[in-house]
Amino acid sequence: MSIETQPRSPSQTTQYEDCGWRWWLQRGERVEQRPAAWSHHGTAFHTAAEVFERSGRTMELDEVVQVFSDEYGALTDKALDKWADTDQWMSAGRYTGGEDIERRYVLGQQQTADYVAWSHVNKPKFWTSPEGKPGLELDFMVELGGVKVRGFIDQLLDEEENTVRVRDLKTGSTKSKLQLNTYSLAVQQKWGVKAPKADWYLAKDNRLSRPVKLTEEAVQETADRYAAMDAAVKRGEAPARPGYNCNFCDVSHACVFFSGKI
């Protein structure tokens, strides 16, 4: 499937809006992306939370933390095979790539433990799909703004009056309303269930965010953004937007617009 006709997603649409050239380097040119410990941290946390919830919260705390540790270690080792020089890794704040790898291993273990404790106390009730699947990592393919959109929803919760709530687990600080609105619309379109509210579980703070409501304006804006992005890609447009975010770009090493001094 060509890049012009493939389904879109919230992440690639947001990425394109931020910098079309980065999107093209990653998805068109297939430039190898520099690894980032924060990416492995997020993936491993999601894996541990999902395994824990699928167990019916019967897993012991140390077992769940071990799931995180094993997944984080495997992802990191695989990345190190290609990028052995950790100074070339993406990193945040004052930390070097190597320091970030080590600190996120410990941080992720603590956040996993915090999530287990939070879930035991709050006991989120997961929705069950018509196919009998629990509302954990459910995939979808729908049409928004005349564009095919795909994705995976971290969690779907039972709500009152036959509605559900979308929940996205977040280990970082970047939050996308496009993502939550897309998921809410996908739930209604694929399963015929309304999802008027969505939120994030914020692992950094061990709490839920304020809910994001799916307004009529949000529905239209979501459709418009996918339509605009898809049309621009089909026109062959990939506008570069160099600036502060270049410092956090994982394909900057292959970018002619990146000076390294932003």
Side-chain angles (χ1 to χ4, degrees), residues 186-197:
V187 169
Q188 182 167 339
Q189 190 175 136
K190 180 172 181 176
W191 292 291
V193 181
K194 292 185 178 181
K197 294 181 182 179

Side-chain angles (χ1 to χ4, degrees), residues 32 45 70 93 119 131 137 143 150 188 197 202 258:
E32 188 172 5
F45 176 85
D70 291 345
S119 186
E131 300 83 11
E137 290 297 327
E143 188 171 295
R150 65 184 174 192
Q188 182 167 339
K197 294 181 182 179
L202 306 173
F258 178 62

Side-chain angles (χ1 to χ4, degrees), residues 48-200:
E50 180 186 358
V51 170
F52 169 64
E53 296 294 4
R54 286 190 185 279
S55 78
R57 306 189 187 109
T58 61
M59 291 178 68
E60 296 294 333
L61 175 60
D62 59 347
E63 293 179 305
V64 187
V65 173
Q66 191 62 52
V67 171
F68 170 87
S69 302
D70 291 345
E71 179 77 354
Y72 184 85
L75 292 169
T76 301
D77 288 345
K78 183 177 180 180
L80 286 168
D81 287 341
K82 290 187 176 182
W83 296 80
D85 183 359
T86 57
D87 287 340
Q88 295 184 27
W89 281 49
M90 305 283 289
S91 60
R94 64 183 184 276
Y95 303 99
T96 65
E99 290 170 342
D100 209 31
I101 291 172
E102 293 180 2
R103 82 179 187 93
R104 286 181 181 278
Y105 179 75
V106 177
L107 176 61
Q109 288 178 325
Q110 183 58 60
Q111 289 180 344
T112 299
D114 288 343
Y115 175 82
V116 170
W118 177 90
S119 186
H120 276 307
V121 170
N122 291 277
K123 296 179 173 58
K125 182 182 178 183
F126 296 105
W127 177 73
T128 301
S129 75
E131 300 83 11
K133 297 180 180 179
L136 295 164
E137 290 297 327
L138 292 177
D139 66 293
F140 65 84
M141 176 83 80
V142 296
E143 188 171 295
L144 299 173
V147 178
K148 288 185 178 180
V149 179
R150 65 184 174 192
F152 289 85
I153 305 172
D154 288 346
Q155 297 182 350
L156 281 177
L157 293 305
D158 260 332
E159 292 277 90
E160 57 188 23
E161 298 180 354
N162 298 316
T163 64
V164 299
R165 178 177 296 222
V166 168
R167 179 159 296 156
D168 189 62
L169 308 182
K170 191 67 64 179
T171 54
S173 56
T174 301
K175 299 187 291 294
S176 168
K177 286 187 177 181
L178 176 67
Q179 181 185 38
L180 292 188
N181 290 334
T182 298
Y183 292 172
S184 293
L185 289 169
V187 169
Q188 182 167 339
Q189 190 175 136
K190 180 172 181 176
W191 292 291
V193 181
K194 292 185 178 181
K197 294 181 182 179
D199 59 34
W200 291 280

Side-chain angles (χ1 to χ4, degrees), residues 173-247:
S173 56
T174 301
K175 299 187 291 294
S176 168
K177 286 187 177 181
L178 176 67
Q179 181 185 38
L180 292 188
N181 290 334
T182 298
Y183 292 172
S184 293
L185 289 169
V187 169
Q188 182 167 339
Q189 190 175 136
K190 180 172 181 176
W191 292 291
V193 181
K194 292 185 178 181
K197 294 181 182 179
D199 59 34
W200 291 280
Y201 168 81
L202 306 173
K204 292 176 66 175
D205 304 315
N206 192 29
R207 64 174 177 84
L208 297 179
S209 71
R210 295 180 62 180
V212 173
K213 296 182 180 179
L214 184 65
T215 63
E216 291 184 8
E217 291 79 6
V219 172
Q220 187 61 54
E221 179 187 358
T222 299
D224 289 346
R225 287 174 70 176
Y226 283 115
M229 181 268 187
D230 187 69
V233 170
K234 285 181 168 60
R235 291 193 299 268
E237 298 174 4
R241 295 184 175 88
Y244 177 74
N245 286 337
C246 290
N247 295 303

